[in-house]
Amino acid sequence: MLESGGSGEDWTLTTGQEWLVDVSGCSPEQLKSLAVLAALFEELIVQMELKVVGQPQWHVFPEPGGITGLTLLAESHLSIHTFPEHGFAALNVYCCRTRVSPDFPALLARHLGARSCHVRELARGVKA
């Protein structure tokens, strides 16, 4: 499949799409909650019809730190890094097959109390 890379570059092979999502104005308590983050991951997995490989990995940092989470997918990965002291989270979803973009602002407002959501969607692939 030949696609434009968006910056005038041509792609000879599309190998997926990636979303880089920066959310701010989040609830610090929600950013420190493993249950909240696991529910967010579960909703993304169901909405995007992703297939989990193995068990999600979570690392909870000591106060005032947040949580880093990673789920390996048959399609690639889903990760998050939270910074409760700043009300911020960085979410990354990479899929090797095309997917419809979820409504990240609504999803992250519901799960994290986010007031601001900046989504960058990137086509990944081999350049011509």
Side-chain angles (χ1 to χ4, degrees):
M1 176 188 308
L2 183 63
E3 290 187 4
S4 171
S7 60
E9 301 174 52
D10 288 331
W11 300 93
T12 57
L13 175 66
T14 299
T15 58
Q17 65 194 111
E18 186 166 11
W19 291 271
L20 304 172
V21 185
D22 293 335
V23 290
S24 56
C26 300
S27 159
E29 291 309 309
Q30 288 169 280
L31 292 174
K32 292 190 281 187
S33 171
L34 195 52
V36 166
L37 298 177
L40 168 63
F41 272 29
E42 182 61 30
E43 187 167 348
L44 278 168
I45 289 162
V46 169
Q47 276 190 21
M48 298 180 77
E49 299 178 354
L50 302 170
K51 292 172 185 57
V52 175
V53 177
Q55 294 297 313
Q57 298 295 307
W58 300 98
H59 178 77
V60 179
F61 290 90
E63 287 288 338
I67 298 173
T68 291
L70 172 67
T71 295
L72 294 179
L73 306 169
E75 301 83 2
S76 195
H77 70 268
L78 167 62
S79 67
I80 194 165
H81 305 279
T82 71
F83 302 84
E85 68 275 26
H86 301 294
F88 175 80
L91 175 71
N92 177 253
V93 184
Y94 176 53
C95 294
C96 61
R97 294 190 335 251
T98 303
R99 294 281 195 265
V100 174
S101 181
D103 184 352
F104 284 110
L107 185 70
L108 294 163
R110 188 168 60 256
H111 284 277
L112 303 179
R115 291 192 312 259
S116 173
C117 183
H118 178 67
V119 180
R120 288 167 283 171
E121 185 173 345
L122 307 170
R124 304 297 299 263
V126 178
K127 294 180 185 176

